[in-house]
Amino acid sequence: MLKSISLALNKVFAGRKNQDSSHIEDTDIPAKKRLIKEEEHKIPRRYLDDNALKVAYRLQDAGFEGYLVGGCIRDLLLQKKPKDFDVATDAHPEEAAELFRRSRLIGRRFKLVHVRFGRDLIEVATFRAGHDSQTENSDNEQGKQCDSGMILRDNVYGTIEDDALRRDFTVNALYYCPKDHCVYDFTNGYEDLQQGILRMIGDPEARYKEDPVRMLRAARFAAKLDFRIDPDSEKPIIPLAPMLKRIAPARLFDEVLKLFQSGHAVKSYQQLQRLELFEPLFPLVQRTLQQPLAVPMETLIHNALKNTDRRLAQRKSVTPAFLFAAILWYPTQLRMQQLMKERKMPPLPALHEAAHNILDEQVKSTAIPRRFSTPIREIWDLQLRLPRRQGNRAARLMEHPRFRAAYDLLLLRESSGEDLGGLSQWWTDYQNANEQGRDSMVHSLGNSDKPKRRRRSKPRREARQ
């Protein structure tokens, strides 16, 4: 009881400070609150996450504000099923964490609280304010920006109005209050949602400079929601696209997964190319695409992304290893051929060195964890082994843990237009055949791909003296 009173008093005094000194940076949009009542927004209460509501109610009972916010409300208004639910509050992270037994403070650049309910996780964020706010946080950590305007730390706290104006797009700045069941709109996001417009809050150029990843989010949301990007929000993207090269490769890897493994990979790729955002993520691939090629590289990328979308629609598993293996296959193959020509290397050693070179260059842009880079190498290695089917090799290859992924890449290569002499169809038939049929298929190959053994010349014996 005493803890709840103490937290509530802290909230009151912190709130007064915020109201006296809050100021919104880089935006000329006034925070005019509009309440959309339940009879208008028509979000069914049964679709709201019980655990997220528990978190919001607990915050409110302790004297704080608590709202469901962001993508979950946007998706519910679009009659889509949200992937997760987030909560926003005026409680500081340390205050919010005190209210929940299974909670954990995370982040330094952007402090958050994670509250666990079994396997479910609810993310709780404190209202943020502009970076020129004079608010003193309890931990003395202000927001921090570099000279280019990029946010290095974002722990300046404010009011719900401040928070709405600090979010990226108007359609993501909608707050649902569990008490009155109204949607709170401060940026005209509800109207933009109805019109299918993706609009950046504030000055787009300044907001992209604060966090260049917002440009990738613009491409992703436009693809996911099938929205058109507001012209003023789109205009700065191409000139500012090179700023993505300053972002940590590990963070860009996560963004690539969101772009390509959320069920809208083909549309995301089209948006990335249109906005010139693909090159900062895959510079080597983009350079290769701009060269005259004798291989169907872009068709393979498109088919791999289409295949990923199809598998997700069928609720099948997908792995980043296969997608990266497909996207980077032709640059790797071209490098392998170069090594074979210039250094007279055999195919397999040339492939191994080419794989090392290509992956080393790619991780400078998007980090690839070892748990994925190793399978990528194995999938590529099998592209050279799959044509060699003599004897019991075919049966052994099928036992390889990466056989299925390698076979899928082989299918995509041939269906994209690469001439492999019907190799993918042979492997399809082989998998469907019984044991006798498989033996017959292998026998019919003859010795066409069987390597010839070199005879060792016996050393001459010296004549006896």
Side-chain angles (χ1 to χ4, degrees):
M1 184 69 176
L2 290 173
K3 185 183 287 185
S4 297
I5 294 172
S6 174
L7 289 171
L9 288 172
N10 288 340
K11 169 254 181 184
V12 170
F13 289 117
R16 286 178 181 172
K17 275 188 176 182
N18 291 346
Q19 290 172 5
D20 292 339
S21 60
S22 62
H23 179 73
I24 305 304
E25 179 188 41
D26 293 329
T27 181
D28 54 2
I29 300 177
K32 295 180 179 179
K33 181 168 70 175
R34 177 191 173 191
L35 256 61
I36 299 103
K37 295 185 177 179
E38 190 173 21
E39 52 266 28
E40 183 180 353
H41 65 67
K42 298 178 180 178
I43 294 177
R45 297 186 196 179
R46 66 181 182 277
Y47 292 157
L48 299 172
D49 183 78
D50 289 340
N51 293 327
L53 290 174
K54 287 177 185 177
V55 171
Y57 284 134
R58 181 72 184 94
L59 288 163
Q60 292 173 350
D61 290 344
F64 298 108
E65 297 178 65
Y67 302 87
L68 276 61
V69 65
C72 61
I73 304 305
R74 176 201 68 218
D75 290 348
L76 286 170
L77 290 169
L78 292 171
Q79 299 182 346
K80 298 176 182 287
K81 184 179 180 180
K83 184 179 179 182
D84 46 39
F85 283 78
D86 297 332
V87 173
T89 179
D90 58 342
H92 288 192
E94 294 78 9
E95 294 172 326
E98 284 288 327
L99 297 174
F100 304 96
R101 284 185 301 176
R102 297 194 64 190
S103 65
R104 186 165 67 99
L105 277 169
I106 66 161
R108 178 173 176 82
R109 178 182 174 272
F110 191 97
K111 278 190 177 181
L112 298 167
V113 177
H114 281 175
V115 183
R116 284 209 169 272
F117 295 87
R119 293 184 177 181
D120 294 336
L121 185 145
I122 305 299
E123 192 170 88
V124 182
T126 302
F127 297 147
R128 257 62 178 184
H131 279 242
D132 55 355
S133 170
Q134 299 302 312
T135 304
E136 291 288 340
N137 294 336
S138 59
D139 56 5
N140 296 318
E141 286 196 15
Q142 294 285 335
K144 185 178 180 181
Q145 290 176 276
C146 64
D147 294 337
S148 67
M150 190 186 303
I151 292 178
L152 303 178
R153 188 176 300 150
D154 193 11
N155 293 309
V156 181
Y157 306 134
T159 64
I160 186 173
E161 291 85 357
D162 299 333
D163 190 69
L165 297 180
R166 289 299 301 165
R167 292 186 176 268
D168 49 13
F169 302 102
T170 60
V171 296
N172 291 338
L174 297 169
Y175 300 73
Y176 179 90
C177 179
K179 274 189 176 179
D180 58 20
H181 310 293
C182 291
V183 171
Y184 290 46
D185 181 8
F186 301 91
T187 62
N188 205 35
Y190 187 76
E191 186 176 337
D192 283 345
L193 196 73
Q194 291 177 316
Q195 296 181 3
I197 297 174
L198 195 64
R199 191 190 313 274
M200 177 63 68
I201 298 171
D203 175 48
E205 182 174 350
R207 302 307 305 280
Y208 293 139
K209 285 181 177 178
E210 283 179 350
D211 185 0
V213 168
R214 287 174 179 151
M215 295 183 283
L216 296 178
R217 287 170 63 83
R220 175 159 61 91
F221 287 132
K224 176 182 177 179
L225 305 174
D226 202 19
F227 277 18
R228 64 185 183 279
I229 304 175
D230 169 65
D232 290 336
S233 301
E234 182 177 314
K235 186 178 179 181
I237 291 180
I238 292 178
L240 295 179
M243 285 192 71
L244 284 168
K245 296 178 181 179
R246 306 179 190 178
I247 303 298
R251 189 178 177 205
L252 290 184
F253 175 77
D254 291 337
E255 291 299 320
V256 168
L257 298 192
K258 293 175 185 177
L259 284 158
F260 291 159
Q261 293 199 328
S262 298
H264 45 81
V266 173
K267 289 183 178 179
S268 292
Y269 175 74
Q270 292 168 348
Q271 289 285 354
L272 291 176
Q273 288 289 12
R274 186 178 70 84
L275 299 171
E276 298 184 14
L277 296 171
F278 186 76
E279 191 275 336
L281 300 175
F282 294 92
L284 180 60
V285 176
Q286 188 64 24
R287 289 199 303 270
T288 308
L289 283 170
Q290 292 169 350
Q291 300 171 7
L293 297 171
V295 289
M297 182 172 173
E298 187 149 28
T299 305
L300 176 66
I301 293 173
H302 180 274
N303 286 344
L305 297 173
K306 186 178 178 181
N307 180 65
T308 300
D309 287 344
R310 178 182 55 80
R311 289 184 63 86
L312 288 169
Q314 297 171 348
R315 298 186 178 181
K316 294 181 179 179
S317 63
V318 294
T319 171
F322 177 79
L323 199 55
F324 274 81
I327 292 173
L328 296 171
W329 166 244
Y330 281 127
T332 304
Q333 189 184 50
L334 292 173
R335 175 62 176 151
M336 177 189 75
Q337 292 170 353
Q338 182 184 12
L339 290 170
M340 291 171 62
K341 181 179 179 181
E342 295 178 358
R343 293 166 53 179
K344 311 300 181 186
M345 295 180 69
L348 204 55
L351 174 63
H352 292 164
E353 183 161 340
H356 179 76
N357 295 343
I358 297 301
L359 290 174
D360 269 4
E361 186 164 347
Q362 180 59 38
V363 297
K364 296 175 185 176
S365 303
T366 60
I368 304 175
R370 184 171 294 179
R371 67 182 184 275
F372 299 128
S373 64
T374 299
I376 290 171
R377 295 172 188 270
E378 292 174 343
I379 292 169
W380 287 343
D381 184 79
L382 284 170
Q383 299 306 298
L384 295 194
R385 296 185 185 274
L386 285 173
R388 306 179 66 179
R389 299 153 284 171
Q390 294 290 354
N392 61 354
R393 287 178 184 155
R396 288 205 310 266
L397 284 171
M398 280 189 61
E399 295 173 359
H400 195 287
R402 308 297 172 205
F403 170 78
R404 184 67 203 190
Y407 165 71
D408 286 344
L409 179 55
L410 190 73
L411 279 174
L412 286 177
R413 288 170 59 196
E414 202 150 27
S415 65
S416 299
E418 186 176 352
D419 184 9
L420 298 175
L423 182 61
S424 62
Q425 185 60 51
W426 188 94
W427 276 108
T428 302
D429 295 339
Y430 184 82
Q431 292 175 79
N432 294 330
N434 57 26
E435 186 175 352
Q436 185 177 358
R438 291 179 178 180
D439 289 342
S440 176
M441 290 179 67
V442 171
H443 182 73
S444 66
L445 292 172
N447 297 323
S448 57
D449 63 350
K450 187 174 182 179
K452 295 180 180 179
R453 292 185 179 180
R454 293 182 180 178
R455 289 186 177 181
R456 289 186 179 180
S457 56
K458 294 182 180 180
R460 285 185 177 181
R461 293 183 180 179
E462 293 183 4
R464 291 181 181 179
Q465 297 294 332

